[in-house]
């Protein structure tokens, strides 16, 4: 809820300061967490808001969430009790989710062509990342997992850069984002099997109808 409230004054500020044509695009695709060697995968869902009428570039606001795909693996658990195996493999599932809002500028190459190649520079963004860990099918009263993974929530500053192609209302885009510069300081002293996410993604999307914003 608080994220939505923060966007309200930004919306009215942009309307007052940029009385120009804007475009809104929606896109989806596939993303890999390159800071964890591709271990976590996502289906990104993004909205981009382009402001301004210059043929050489437009201001860009990029909002993105994702549908996490479950990472499945095993951890070892041990016991000193007799009558049961001394060690077992315990199934582990991790869901990694990322929500981000970023601002920057889209630079157009070959601006006079109907089809445009563009570069997105997103130097300022805010990201919230969550890792949810679940162990299954073992008796935790009998077995103990050594150094188990635990849930992690990380929030902070992020940045990104993207390269894409636009033709008519359709566009394709590749983007990489940095891990968060963490501001929450959660689990920073506990060693986990994963790092904060840095996503590389390829998406395809479509622009909706252009919107005219006029000063009163």
């Amino acid at each position: 809820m608080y994220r939505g409230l923060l966007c309200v004054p930004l919306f009215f500020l942009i309307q007052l300061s940029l009385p120009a044509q804007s475009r809104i695009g929606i896109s989806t695709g596939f993303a890999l967490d390159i800071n964890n060697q591709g271990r976590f995968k996502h289906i990104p869902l993004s909205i981009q808001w382009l402001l301004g009428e210059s043929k050489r570039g437009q201001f860009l606001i990029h909002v993105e969430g994702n549908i996490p795909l479950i990472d499945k693996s095993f951890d070892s658990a041990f016991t000193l009790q007799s009558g049961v195996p001394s060690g077992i493999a315990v199934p582990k599932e991790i869901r990694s989710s990322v929500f981000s809002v970023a601002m920057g500028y889209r630079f157009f190459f070959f601006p006079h062509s109907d089809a445009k190649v563009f570069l997105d520079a997103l130097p300022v963004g805010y990201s919230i990342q969550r890792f949810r860990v679940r162990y299954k099918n073992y008796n935790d009263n009998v077995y103990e997992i050594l150094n188990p993974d635990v849930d992690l929530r990380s929030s902070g500053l992020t940045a990104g850069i993207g390269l894409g192609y636009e033709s008519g209302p359709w566009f394709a885009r590749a983007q990489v984002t940095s891990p968060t510069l963490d501001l929450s300081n959660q689990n920073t002293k506990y060693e986990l099997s994963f790092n904060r996410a840095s996503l590389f993604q390829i998406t395809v999307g479509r622009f909706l109808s252009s919107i005219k914003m006029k000063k009163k």
Side-chain angles (χ1 to χ4, degrees), residues 17-213:
S17 60
L18 291 171
Q21 187 179 35
S22 71
R23 298 184 296 162
I24 294 177
I26 57 175
S27 62
T28 187
F30 187 72
L32 291 173
D33 184 351
I34 58 176
N35 204 35
N36 286 288
Q37 294 76 49
R39 175 181 175 184
F40 302 111
K41 302 171 181 66
H42 308 262
I43 299 174
L45 304 170
S46 62
I47 299 174
Q48 51 186 263
W49 187 9
L50 294 162
L51 303 126
E53 294 181 335
S54 172
K55 291 186 177 181
R56 297 189 178 276
Q58 290 180 291
F59 291 100
L60 170 64
I61 298 175
H62 190 267
V63 181
E64 182 173 287
N66 63 57
I67 300 173
L69 303 181
I70 300 174
D71 173 72
K72 297 182 178 182
S73 60
F74 294 89
D75 275 358
S76 297
F78 302 93
T79 184
L80 297 177
Q81 292 190 21
S82 59
V84 295
S86 60
I88 60 172
V90 179
K92 177 175 65 174
E93 295 182 352
I94 302 179
R95 289 178 173 85
S96 163
S97 60
V98 180
F99 174 84
S100 64
V101 179
M103 294 185 294
Y105 197 80
R106 172 166 293 180
F107 298 91
F108 292 122
F109 301 97
F110 316 113
H112 300 290
S113 172
D114 291 335
K116 300 183 180 70
V117 177
F118 60 82
L119 175 71
D120 289 345
L122 297 163
V124 180
Y126 183 79
S127 174
I128 299 174
Q129 302 183 1
R130 290 186 176 92
F131 293 83
R132 295 180 173 88
V133 182
R134 298 292 180 267
Y135 288 98
K136 304 173 65 177
N137 303 328
Y138 86 108
N139 188 342
D140 58 0
N141 294 319
V142 176
Y143 288 95
E144 180 180 358
I145 301 172
L146 302 181
N147 300 319
D149 280 327
V150 297
D151 292 354
L152 173 67
R153 183 185 187 278
S154 176
S155 60
L157 301 178
T158 186
I161 190 167
L163 184 66
Y165 177 81
E166 175 186 327
S167 180
W170 297 96
F171 62 91
R173 186 170 176 270
Q175 176 180 290
V176 62
T177 56
S178 69
T180 57
L181 177 60
D182 187 69
L183 303 177
S184 60
N185 295 318
Q186 292 194 12
N187 307 113
T188 54
K189 296 182 180 180
Y190 188 86
E191 185 174 352
L192 301 169
S193 69
F194 51 84
N195 303 307
R196 296 181 179 90
S198 171
L199 299 183
F200 171 76
Q201 62 185 33
I202 297 177
T203 56
V204 177
R206 191 181 194 282
F207 287 109
L208 307 178
S209 298
S210 298
I211 301 170
K212 289 285 187 178
M213 297 190 301

